[in-house]
Amino acid sequence: MTEPQNPEHSTQRLPTVQPVEHGDVLELDQSASSAAYDPVPAKERGEGGGGRFWSARRVPAGILALVVLGGAGLLLYDVAAVRAGHPAMQWRRSLADELARRPLKDVWVLTGAAVATAIGLWLIVLALTPGLRDLLPMRRDHPGVRAALDRTAAATVLRDRAVEVSGVQSVRVRMRRSKVRVRAVSHFRELDDVRADLDTALSMGIGELGLSRPPRLSVHVRRPAKKG
């Protein structure tokens, strides 16, 4: 008896490679890009989605806390000394005199305001964004469990899947949260065949990563550069 054919391994008609005419010489196109194929849909597992992990921001929070604590403590000490009958510190008197003499359009006043504004915007961005861009949230198959996959590890897994494809000499994988860019070099076989096999293998690999939002796949295959 013959086993039923798996639909995932069924053959499909591939586009033919058209010759490119250069003068009197006909050459075959030596590159294949993702424009020639529709990406193979990744497998969907689980129904729940996991949001991004939030960074603790310990270093920025610690630096800000130390700066605020030091400034507040120094100012409080100076105010207490003035209340006790001692003169104010020289830095506070100099700062008050400079602010009283310099107009608002002075270069140093504008520079200080710009620096303070930039630091404030940076702190607001840190407070409102989750951070941890290297962690890719995974699907939540169990409500009480959250997991994430390191982006470098995910790229390594996809690269290992890509080098197993026949005809692939070398691969570079750039993993992002919304898109995976794959650049492969093929030293034999038709480039369109290699491209189709990479599409299938990498699409299955992305589905097996179990990410909550599977990224889109972009694959480009070329011949190795000629030596000399």
Side-chain angles (χ1 to χ4, degrees):
M1 293 180 63
T2 60
E3 296 181 0
Q5 187 177 7
N6 191 339
E8 294 183 357
H9 297 83
S10 61
T11 60
Q12 56 179 345
R13 185 177 179 181
L14 301 178
T16 57
V17 180
Q18 299 294 336
V20 181
E21 183 175 358
H22 296 279
D24 297 333
V25 181
L26 293 179
E27 296 179 356
L28 293 179
D29 185 11
Q30 293 298 300
S31 65
S33 65
S34 59
Y37 295 90
D38 292 329
V40 179
K43 285 185 177 181
E44 297 292 340
R45 290 186 178 180
E47 298 180 356
R52 291 179 58 185
F53 287 77
W54 281 75
S55 173
R57 314 283 193 189
R58 292 185 177 88
V59 174
I63 294 176
L64 179 61
L66 289 177
V67 171
V68 173
L69 180 62
L74 187 62
L75 183 61
L76 180 61
Y77 174 82
D78 190 45
V79 171
V82 171
R83 292 291 184 180
H86 298 282
M89 291 184 178
Q90 181 63 35
W91 67 268
R92 195 155 72 95
R93 288 181 293 177
S94 299
L95 180 61
D97 293 339
E98 290 294 333
L99 292 177
R101 288 199 307 263
R102 293 181 181 272
L104 294 178
K105 62 181 181 181
D106 185 79
V107 176
W108 290 106
V109 175
L110 296 177
T111 302
V115 172
T117 302
I119 295 176
L121 292 176
W122 177 60
L123 294 175
I124 292 175
V125 170
L126 290 181
L128 297 180
T129 55
L132 297 179
R133 299 180 63 86
D134 289 337
L135 293 181
L136 302 175
M138 302 179 69
R139 294 188 185 93
R140 300 185 64 178
D141 294 332
H142 302 281
V145 179
R146 293 189 65 196
L149 184 62
D150 184 76
R151 192 163 60 179
T152 303
T156 303
V157 171
L158 296 180
R159 181 185 178 277
D160 293 342
R161 295 289 294 265
V163 296
E164 294 177 355
V165 175
S166 177
V168 174
Q169 183 179 19
S170 62
V171 182
R172 289 188 304 170
V173 179
R174 190 174 183 181
M175 189 80 181
R176 295 186 176 276
R177 291 187 295 114
S178 60
K179 192 172 186 178
V180 180
R181 295 182 181 273
V182 180
R183 298 291 182 264
V185 176
S186 175
H187 55 301
F188 71 94
R189 295 183 67 198
E190 292 291 336
L191 295 181
D192 288 328
D193 295 341
V194 177
R195 169 67 173 78
D197 291 346
L198 283 173
D199 252 348
T200 303
L202 294 177
S203 295
M204 294 179 60
I206 292 175
E208 292 173 356
L209 292 177
L211 301 178
S212 61
R213 295 181 180 179
R216 295 179 291 109
L217 177 62
S218 173
V219 179
H220 183 82
V221 185
R222 63 178 178 85
R223 293 295 186 198
K226 295 182 180 180
K227 297 182 180 179

